[in-house]
Amino acid sequence: NAGVTQTPKFRVLKTGQSMTLLCAQDMNHEYMYWYRQDPGMGLRLIHYSVGEGTTAKGEVPDGYNVSRLKKQNFLLGLESAAPSQTSVYFCASRKSTSIQALGETQYFGPGTRLLVL
Amino acid sequence: GEDVEQSLFLSVREGDSSVINCTYTDSSSTYLYWYKQEPGAGLQLLTYIFSNMDMKQDQRLTVLLNKKDKHLSLRIADTQTGDSAIYFCAESPTYGGYNKLIFGAGTRLAVHP
């Protein structure tokens, strides 16, 4: 199993450009998440999905859109990038659909470093 | 509200014990987690504790939970240079069955000879 993979690893954008970050997992997990990590702060949830075809907003959803057309993929889109979106983006996935299983946790991808100039 | 706080930096000598502390706010959290992030990598689950437990030991790691004070700590015995990383505490409040992780800002552990 590759686990959770993210592409690209690094990207530089100009203000106003758009891009899509791809997250893929091969563990047949139901839940998928997108976080951003900024210096001196913990991870903040952008959007999440509880299953194929469903998405929901997290703590900091503004300026981002997501889609979950296939169970194994979760896409994060920036329609018009802003310097405030410079960050490291992490995708994660989790198995269960509703109740918390014993010690079940989220599995994280390696991250995408995004710089918006 | 939801808030997880931890100190930002800890420096220890190789071979000593490290203790990383965390306070959280949401008493509905069933599990509390410690994640490790090495440079340039994603977060990796180190250990977790069920909220009904006071202590959990896992090889060199000891997790202590004081539910009354909402205080969680991670002790690493015989700290090695390979333990240098950022350690994140996370609580997991449950809203309508949806599991959500709230992370602290992370504690950077530096291990020196």
Side-chain angles (χ1 to χ4, degrees):
Chain A
N1 283 354
V4 180
T5 57
Q6 294 182 232
T7 51
K9 287 187 171 52
F10 177 69
R11 183 78 183 267
V12 179
L13 288 180
K14 293 182 180 175
T15 296
Q17 285 185 317
S18 63
M19 79 163 292
T20 300
L21 283 67
L22 171 65
C23 174
Q25 51 93 6
D26 61 1
M27 298 174 283
N28 201 35
H29 284 176
E30 292 293 335
Y31 279 27
M32 295 187 76
Y33 309 79
W34 275 108
Y35 293 91
R36 60 178 287 172
Q37 184 183 29
D38 300 296
M41 302 179 75
L43 276 71
R44 291 182 293 167
L45 183 64
I46 304 171
H47 285 280
Y48 65 97
S49 168
V50 301
E52 183 179 319
T54 70
T55 63
K57 293 180 180 180
E59 293 175 73
V60 289
D62 294 340
Y64 304 95
N65 56 76
V66 287
S67 64
R68 183 106 180 262
L69 299 178
K70 293 182 180 180
K71 188 177 182 179
Q72 62 267 35
N73 294 338
F74 194 29
L75 278 63
L76 177 71
L78 286 74
E79 287 187 353
S80 178
S84 61
Q85 294 178 304
T86 293
S87 188
V88 181
Y89 292 86
F90 287 99
C91 176
S93 71
R94 179 173 175 263
K95 183 178 177 183
S96 284
T97 55
S98 57
I99 61 172
Q100 294 188 58
L102 180 63
E104 192 174 291
T105 185
Q106 297 177 20
Y107 293 84
F108 284 82
T112 294
R113 191 173 295 274
L114 177 65
L115 174 62
V116 183
L117 301 174
Chain B
E2 306 158 347
D3 196 17
V4 178
E5 294 193 356
Q6 28 182 153
S7 52
L8 294 182
F9 188 73
L10 177 66
S11 177
V12 298
R13 187 170 297 170
E14 192 174 10
D16 287 351
S17 292
S18 309
V19 179
I20 302 171
N21 294 301
C22 167
T23 57
Y24 63 97
T25 55
D26 199 311
S27 57
S28 74
S29 294
T30 306
Y31 297 97
L32 295 134
Y33 301 91
W34 283 104
Y35 283 84
K36 178 182 181 182
Q37 184 182 32
E38 294 180 349
L43 276 69
Q44 191 173 23
L45 178 67
L46 257 188
T47 187
Y48 64 91
I49 188 166
F50 186 49
S51 59
N52 279 358
M53 297 169 66
D54 298 324
M55 185 182 87
K56 179 180 179 183
Q57 189 143 4
D58 185 359
Q59 300 183 325
R60 291 190 298 123
L61 305 177
T62 303
V63 179
L64 295 177
L65 175 60
N66 181 329
K67 200 171 179 183
K68 175 176 167 288
D69 295 337
K70 297 191 181 71
H71 182 266
L72 184 72
S73 68
L74 173 70
R75 179 177 180 269
I76 306 173
D78 187 25
T79 312
Q80 303 297 309
T81 54
D83 295 322
S84 294
I86 302 176
Y87 291 81
F88 291 92
C89 168
E91 62 173 348
S92 59
T94 306
Y95 303 109
Y98 159 59
N99 167 256
K100 179 179 175 182
L101 284 177
I102 308 294
F103 290 90
T107 299
R108 184 177 294 274
L109 175 64
V111 183
H112 56 88

